[in-house]
Amino acid sequence: AQKSRHPVAPREARLLSRAEVAHHDRPEDCWLVIRGKAYDVTKYLSAHPAPPRTITDHCGKESTSAFETKERGRAHSPQAWQLLETYFVGEVRD
Ligand code: HEM
């Protein structure tokens, strides 16, 4: 078999553009950009303790301030930030 010219990069090294992330803009395929990193939170939507729209309004978009403030002027807990990392997809560079 021919050797792939596109070997899979280590997870940490995956680089994404905002344009690529923007394709994941719906509840069935929802990525968020938070502090320069992309997260695929699709599987988390039904577990989030606020109505799905709270997150799905941001699918495919820059979401740092929404996540940092919960859009209510208060921060997510350290546990929420830890949980977020489990959905990490790659670094975003424009
Ligand atoms: C950017 C979109 C998001 C918004 C606007 C948002 C907003 C909220 C709101 C309104 C609540 C309930 C009220 C409250 O606890 O103060 C909440 C709770 C929570 N959210 Fe989010 N959320 C977002 C994304 C996420 C993501 C992606 C995760 C994890 C992967 C997450 C994890 C949690 C957790 C664990 C709680 C329970 C309270 C806490 O630990 O802070 N949220 N969020």
Side-chain angles (χ1 to χ4, degrees):
Q2 195 186 353
K3 224 178 178 185
S4 170
R5 293 189 298 124
H6 302 286
V8 176
R11 213 170 174 233
E12 292 71 29
R14 187 167 173 196
L15 289 180
L16 302 153
S17 64
R18 289 190 187 255
E20 283 177 271
V21 175
H23 287 116
H24 306 272
D25 62 352
R26 54 198 185 282
E28 305 75 39
D29 180 17
C30 178
W31 291 17
L32 306 177
V33 178
I34 298 170
R35 295 185 179 175
K37 293 163 150 191
Y39 300 92
D40 178 354
V41 299
T42 311
K43 293 199 166 77
Y44 182 67
L45 296 178
S46 59
H48 190 242
R53 279 285 299 274
T54 315
I55 295 180
T56 58
D57 281 350
H58 302 277
C59 299
K61 301 183 198 165
E62 168 56 50
S63 309
T64 304
S65 76
F67 187 83
E68 286 180 345
T69 65
K70 290 176 176 169
E71 297 188 314
R72 301 177 182 192
R74 55 174 184 262
H76 275 97
S77 66
Q79 290 74 22
W81 281 95
Q82 271 181 6
L83 186 62
L84 181 64
E85 284 311 314
T86 69
Y87 299 100
F88 176 70
V89 177
E91 305 279 340
V92 177
R93 56 120 174 71
D94 285 320

